[in-house]
C-alpha cells in the first residue's frame, strides 16, 4: 500500500533536534550496529569456514563479499521504492531479510547455498542502508554528511564489538556456527524494537516547518557530479571491500597472525571508523575535490603499506586504524553524502540507491579479485594493483567534481 509521506508532520529544526528525535535516530543506528557485527565476523571466521568445507582462497573471498552483489541488485530498486512506500517499512523488511540470511548461513550444506544466503543478506542490507541514508539526510539537512557519518560510525561500533562478542560466543559454542546464529537472532530483536519505538516524525519527514530547505543540485541523476561520483563509488567498492573481505585472511594465512590478534586488529580498524563524524564534517565544510583527492591519495599509501610493507602487530593495528578513518570514515561517508548533495531534495532516495548499487556492485567482486591476484602474484602485488593504483585514479577523477553545483540547506 502506498504511503504518502507529504502528510507526515514536519521535523523540528535540525540545528537543535529534540531528544526524542535523537533517541529514535539512535535506535535506527543501533540496528545498523547489528548489521556491522555480521559484516566483520564472517571474514574473521572465513578461515574456519574454509577449513570445514574445503573452499579455495578465491571462493572464500567471494563468500566474504558476495553480499555486496545483493546490495548492488537491490540498491537501485529500493531508491524507487522509497518514493512510494514508508521508509520505516522498507528499513524493517530489509532487517528481516538480512537476519534470515544470516541465520541460514549457519545451516549451509555447501558453497552454492551458502553463497545464496550471503547474497540475500546483501539485499536486506541494501534496503536498510538506502532507507537509513534517506532518513538521515532529510531529517538533518544542514549536516547531511555528518548524519551519514553517524551511520558509518555505528558500523564502526559493530566492527569493534562484533569480533569481541564473536570470540566469546565462539569459545562458548565451540564452532563458527554459534556467532552467526546469535547475530542473526539479534537482528530480529532490533526489528521489533524499531516497530514499537520509532515514529514517522523522523523516518517519513519530507518538508520542514522551520524554513530550512534544500536548494540547488541537479534535477536529474544524469549530471556531471553524479557520473563522477558513481565512478568513484565503483573504485571505492573495490578498495574498501578488497580490504574488508580478504585482509583478515591475509593476516592469518600469509603472516600467520593468531586469530585473537587478527580480531584485535579488525577491532582497531573499527575505532578508525568511529571517526566518521569527523570525516563527514570534512565533507560538509570543505570542497569535495579536496576531500576526495586527499583521502584517495591516503588510501593509496595505506594500501601499499598494509599488504607489502608492514610486518608487526603494532604496524598493522596503526595502519588499520588510519584505514578506518581515511577510507571508511571519509571516502565512504562522503560518497554517500555527496550523491545526495549532487541532486535536488526530491531525488534523495534515488541518489542513495545509485550510491548503494555502484559501490556495492564493485564490492561484490572485490574479495574474489584481490584473492585471485594474490594467488597469481602475491599479496604485495594484489594490494598495489587493486588498492594503490585504483586509489590514485580516484584522486585524479575527484578533480572533476564541482562543489558549486551541489545542493545545500538554507532558510
Amino acid at each position: 500500500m502506498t504511503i504518502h509521506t507529504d502528510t507526515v508532520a514536519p521535523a523540528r529544526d535540525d540545528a537543535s533536534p529534540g531528544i526524542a528525535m535523537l533517541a529514535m535516530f539512535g535506535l535506527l543506528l543501533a540496528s545498523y550496529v547489528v548489521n556491522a557485527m555480521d559484516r566483520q565476523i564472517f571474514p574473521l571466521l572465513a578461515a574456519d569456514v574454509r577449513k570445514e568445507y574445503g573452499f579455495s582462497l578465491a571462493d572464500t573471498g567471494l563468500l566474504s563479499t558476495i553480499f555486496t552483489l545483493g546490495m548492488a541488485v537491490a540498491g537501485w530498486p529500493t531508491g524507487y521504492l522509497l518514493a512510494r512506500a514508508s521508509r520505516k517499512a522498507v528499513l524493517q523488511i530489509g532487517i528481516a531479510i538480512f537476519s534470515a540470511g544470516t541465520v541460514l548461513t549457519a545451516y549451509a550444506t555447501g558453497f552454492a547455498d551458502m553463497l545464496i544466503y550471503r547474497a540475500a543478506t546483501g539485499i536486506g542490507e541494501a534496503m536498510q542502508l538506502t532507507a537509513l541514508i534517506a532518513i538521515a539526510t532529510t531529517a538533518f539537512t544542514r549536516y547531511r554528511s555528518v548524519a551519514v557519518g553517524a551511520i558509518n560510525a555505528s558500523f564502526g561500533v559493530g566492527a569493534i564489538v562484533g569480533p569481541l562478542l564473536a570470540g566469546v560466543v565462539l569459545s562458548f559454542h565451540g564452532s563458527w556456527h554459534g556467532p552467526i546464529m546469535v547475530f542473526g537472532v539479534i537482528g530480529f530483536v532490533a526489528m521489533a524494537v524499531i516497530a514499537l519505538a520509532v515514529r514517522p516524525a523522523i523516518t517519513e519527514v519530507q518538508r520542514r516547518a522551520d524554513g530550512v530547505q534544500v536548494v540547488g543540485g541537479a534535477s536529474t541523476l544524469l549530471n556531471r557530479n553524479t557520473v563522477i561520483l558513481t565512478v568513484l563509488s565503483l573504485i571505492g567498492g573495490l578498495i574498501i571491500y578488497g580490504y574488508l573481505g580478504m585482509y583478515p585472511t591475509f593476516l592469518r594465512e600469509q603472516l600467520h597472525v593468531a586469530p585473537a590478534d587478527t580480531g584485535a586488529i579488525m577491532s582497531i580498524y573499527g575505532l578508525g571508523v568511529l571517526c566518521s563524524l569527523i570525516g563527514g564534517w570534512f565533507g560538509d565544510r570543505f570542497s569535495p575535490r579536496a576531500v576526495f583527492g586527499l583521502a584517495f591519495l591516503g588510501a593509496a599509501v595505506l594500501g601499499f603499506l598494509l599488504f607489502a610493507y608492514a610486518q608487526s602487530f603494532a604496524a598493522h593495528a596503526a595502519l588499520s586504524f588510519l584505514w578506518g578513518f581515511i577510507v571508511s570514515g571519509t571516502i565512504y561517508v562522503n560518497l554517500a553524502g555527496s550523491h545526495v548533495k549532487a541532486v535536488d531534495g526530491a531525488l534523495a532516495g534515488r541518489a542513495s540507491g545509485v550510491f548503494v548499487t555502484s559501490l556495492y556492485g564493485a564490492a561484490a567482486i572485490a574479495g574474489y579479485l584481490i584473492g585471485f591476484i594474490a594467488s597469481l602474484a602475491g599479496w604485495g602485488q594484489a594490494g598495489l594493483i587493486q588498492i594503490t593504483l585504483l586509489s590514485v585514479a580516484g584522486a585524479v577523477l575527484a578533480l572533476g567534481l564541482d562543489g558549486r553545483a551541489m545542493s545545500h540547506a538554507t532558510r
Side-chain angles (χ1 to χ4, degrees), residues 173-197:
H173 191 271
S175 168
W176 64 269
H177 300 265
I180 295 290
M181 290 187 291
V182 167
F183 292 143
V185 171
I186 293 175
F188 286 111
V189 174
M191 178 183 170
V193 172
I194 290 173
L196 295 173

Side-chain angles (χ1 to χ4, degrees), residues 256-282:
H256 306 292
V257 177
D261 288 341
T262 300
I265 291 172
M266 297 311 296
S267 292
I268 292 171
Y269 153 78
L271 289 176
V273 180
L274 289 180
C275 299
S276 293
L277 291 171
I278 299 174
W281 181 82
F282 288 155

Side-chain angles (χ1 to χ4, degrees), residues 21-61:
M21 187 174 178
L22 289 176
M24 288 187 288
F25 188 54
L27 289 175
L28 297 177
L29 295 179
S31 72
Y32 200 56
V33 170
V34 178
N35 186 310
M37 288 180 181
D38 176 74
R39 288 293 168 247
Q40 289 301 106
I41 67 163
F42 188 85
L44 186 63
L45 300 172
D48 301 297
V49 175
R50 182 185 178 200
K51 180 179 179 181
E52 179 175 329
Y53 290 90
F55 298 149
S56 69
L57 185 63
D59 286 344
T60 304

Side-chain angles (χ1 to χ4, degrees), residues 3 103 121 150 153 178 192 247 254 265 306 346 365 379 395 404:
I3 297 178
V103 172
T121 65
Y247 178 66
Q254 178 69 19
I265 291 172
L306 281 166
I365 63 169
W379 284 103
R404 296 170 299 177

Side-chain angles (χ1 to χ4, degrees), residues 52 64 101 113 143 163 172 204 218 241 294 306 310 321 341 377 391 398:
E52 179 175 329
S64 294
D113 60 336
Y143 307 101
F172 178 79
E204 314 308 324
Y241 282 90
L294 292 175
L306 281 166
F321 174 83
K341 292 178 181 179
S391 295

Side-chain angles (χ1 to χ4, degrees), residues 61 146 185 234 240 363 385:
V146 172
V185 171
L234 292 170
I240 293 171
I385 294 170

